[in-house]
């Protein structure tokens, strides 16, 4: 049967992968949420460190960063606890729901790649560190601008949780009716997203330029010299490779050639 010989589905992350070049929507809101809830300052760089986790878990991880933890204890005389995380999360949610629609434009090349995938009968799944309430704003906003995957799982859709566990990726397998997990490709710009794909038994592709690790806007990226791009790409690529990514490319625009390479390997009987 044909599905035994080729890629059946590609499961895509959202921010930094298909929309929101540089993954700015969540990072800016984390900074705002900490400031609004507790008049506490975190940097954009700190906000980026746990990217890819569910947003409650992201806030929890931020509180455990040595720099943040030290400042928190200096300001409040204690460690951050679950009540603090809940307060920041409750502040974060309405801010993120309002903001995410401003970052719904597909990244350059995404629409062409989606068309290529559909022409090759490859199903298009997706999952995100965003909770469902945020996705309910993002999905229609992205759809209006031309991007709509076949299936989407949000980080709070499943009782077992989100990344780095395999569950959102595997729910896509079920929702899309995929026959073989080993014929799926997980594409993500974050380490937890790569780990998610590996834990699910999928091929994984990291994105080193469009996402959180590279961390610049598309307009800024266009003004960078080749040397500047290379200098910024290398640590992002190294981090994704160290996480176990089978391939690392700059942006989703380069996906078709990797799918063809994975198809060649599948025909030889190789598995992730």
């Amino acid at each position: 049967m044909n599905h035994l010989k080729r890629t059946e589905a590609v499961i895509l992350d959202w921010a930094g992968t298909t929309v929101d070049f540089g993954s700015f929507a969540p990072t800016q809101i984390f900074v705002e949420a900490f400031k609004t809830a507790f008049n506490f300052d975190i940097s954009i760089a700190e906000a980026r460190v746990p990217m890819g986790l569910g947003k409650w878990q992201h806030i929890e991880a931020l509180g455990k960063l040595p720099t943040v933890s030290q400042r928190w204890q200096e300001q409040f005389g204690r460690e951050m606890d679950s009540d603090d995380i809940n307060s920041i999360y409750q502040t974060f949610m309405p801010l993120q729901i309002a903001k995410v629609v401003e970052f719904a434009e597909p990244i350059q090349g995404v629409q062409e790649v989606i068309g290529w995938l559909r022409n090759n009968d490859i199903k298009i799944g997706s999952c995100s560190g965003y909770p469902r309430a945020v996705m309910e704003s993002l999905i229609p906003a992205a759809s209006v601008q031309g991007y709509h995957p076949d299936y989407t799982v949000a980080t709070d859709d499943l009782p077992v949780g989100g990344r780095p566990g395999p569950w959102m990726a595997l729910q896509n397998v079920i929702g899309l009716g995929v026959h073989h997990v080993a014929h799926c490709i997980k594409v993500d710009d974050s380490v937890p997203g790569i780990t998610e794909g590996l834990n699910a038994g999928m091929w994984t592709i990291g994105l080193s330029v469009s996402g959180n690790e590279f961390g610049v806007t598309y307009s800024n990226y266009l003004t960078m010299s080749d040397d500047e791009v290379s200098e910024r790409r290398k640590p992002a690529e190294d981090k994704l490779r160290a996480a176990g990514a089978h391939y690392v490319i700059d942006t989703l625009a380069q996906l078709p050639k990797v799918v063809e390479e994975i198809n060649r390997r599948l025909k030889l009987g190789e598995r992730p």
Side-chain angles (χ1 to χ4, degrees):
M1 294 176 67
N2 196 33
H3 65 254
L4 296 177
K5 299 292 185 181
R6 63 174 179 86
T7 300
E8 289 187 66
V10 170
I11 298 163
L12 305 169
D13 178 46
W14 280 78
T17 297
T18 53
V19 299
D20 188 9
F21 192 103
S23 199
F24 278 90
T27 49
Q28 290 180 342
I29 300 303
F30 283 122
V31 173
E32 290 181 34
F34 272 81
K35 187 68 172 178
T36 301
F38 285 99
N39 195 30
F40 183 83
D41 295 317
I42 64 168
S43 68
I44 288 283
E46 287 169 334
R48 288 189 180 281
V49 173
M51 193 61 68
L53 298 176
K55 300 316 175 193
W56 196 96
Q57 291 76 17
H58 188 127
I59 295 166
E60 180 183 40
L62 280 173
K64 293 178 180 178
L65 287 179
T67 55
V68 174
S69 177
Q70 181 181 348
R71 296 200 309 275
W72 186 276
Q73 291 186 58
E74 288 171 354
Q75 186 165 331
F76 300 109
R78 57 179 177 79
E79 294 183 352
M80 184 184 295
D81 61 26
S82 59
D83 288 339
D84 300 325
I85 298 169
N86 286 334
S87 295
I88 296 166
Y89 184 76
Q90 289 163 10
T91 304
F92 168 88
M93 282 294 288
L95 292 171
Q96 186 69 90
I97 290 168
K99 191 75 172 178
V100 75
V101 297
E102 298 175 22
F103 293 85
E105 182 180 359
I107 293 168
Q108 180 139 0
V110 166
Q111 292 178 342
E112 291 80 2
V113 168
I114 296 302
W116 184 88
L117 292 170
R118 295 199 194 285
N119 288 338
N120 284 273
D121 297 320
I122 297 172
K123 297 174 180 180
I124 302 162
S126 70
C127 54
S128 177
Y130 284 135
R132 175 55 60 175
V134 175
M135 294 308 299
E136 291 298 330
S137 291
L138 178 56
I139 291 169
S143 181
V144 165
Q145 300 191 63
Y147 173 61
H148 197 285
D150 301 324
Y151 195 77
T152 299
V153 182
T155 194
D156 59 348
D157 281 350
L158 305 174
V160 285
R163 299 168 184 154
W167 306 293
M168 290 196 295
L170 293 176
Q171 183 60 41
N172 271 274
V173 171
I174 296 168
L176 293 169
V178 172
H179 293 83
H180 299 282
V181 172
H183 293 191
C184 293
I185 302 170
K186 176 71 205 309
V187 186
D188 209 295
D189 64 297
S190 74
V191 167
I194 295 299
T195 307
E196 170 190 32
L198 294 172
N199 285 339
M202 299 177 179
W203 300 92
T204 59
I205 301 175
L207 302 183
S208 61
V209 171
S210 65
N212 177 67
E213 296 298 335
F214 198 87
V216 303
T217 64
Y218 185 62
S219 59
N220 285 345
Y221 166 67
L222 292 177
T223 68
M224 296 172 72
S225 69
D226 289 346
D227 286 346
E228 287 173 321
V229 171
S230 295
E231 184 179 350
R232 200 169 185 110
R233 179 198 289 121
K234 188 178 187 313
E237 183 173 346
D238 289 348
K239 194 169 183 179
L240 292 163
R241 288 197 187 280
H246 294 96
Y247 300 89
V248 178
I249 56 179
D250 286 356
T251 73
L252 202 70
Q254 297 168 298
L255 181 67
K257 67 179 183 180
V258 183
V259 173
E260 290 172 348
E261 169 64 12
I262 290 172
N263 284 344
R264 183 190 68 80
R265 294 177 69 178
L266 286 170
K267 288 176 183 177
L268 293 172
E270 293 188 43
R271 294 294 180 268

